[in-house]
Amino acid sequence: MASPAIAGDAGDILKGGAIGAAGGAVVGAVVPGISTGEGALIGGAGGAVIGALDRDGRRWYRDERGNRYWVDKRGRRHYKR
């Protein structure tokens, strides 16, 4: 069973979620029809998704031996060199 790539991923997800929530709250306060809470929820969810991705836009995993890889659309593993 594969697990997320590195222990820092959880921190990146939380940091992205916090930044997104803060930005969403500001947008919610400015844009009519969206409350501050709704903006924070939407921004937090979006920030967490972006925080979960690596800088190259891929989701990285580790195999049983600790090697990093990402999975393409066809389900093939591509290992980091």
Side-chain angles (χ1 to χ4, degrees):
M1 191 65 146
S3 62
I6 54 177
D9 279 348
D12 292 339
I13 292 169
L14 291 175
K15 183 169 54 172
I19 292 170
V26 170
V27 170
V30 174
V31 175
I34 298 176
S35 72
T36 305
E38 289 171 339
L41 287 174
I42 294 167
V49 168
I50 291 178
L53 297 175
D54 203 0
R55 284 182 172 67
D56 58 4
R58 297 183 177 127
R59 177 71 184 191
W60 290 87
Y61 300 94
R62 287 201 185 269
D63 64 8
E64 306 81 35
R65 289 176 267 153
N67 299 318
R68 290 184 68 196
Y69 68 92
W70 61 275
V71 180
D72 66 11
K73 292 178 184 178
R74 296 183 178 169
R76 294 181 294 199
R77 291 182 181 188
H78 297 273
Y79 284 89
K80 186 169 185 171
R81 297 177 190 217

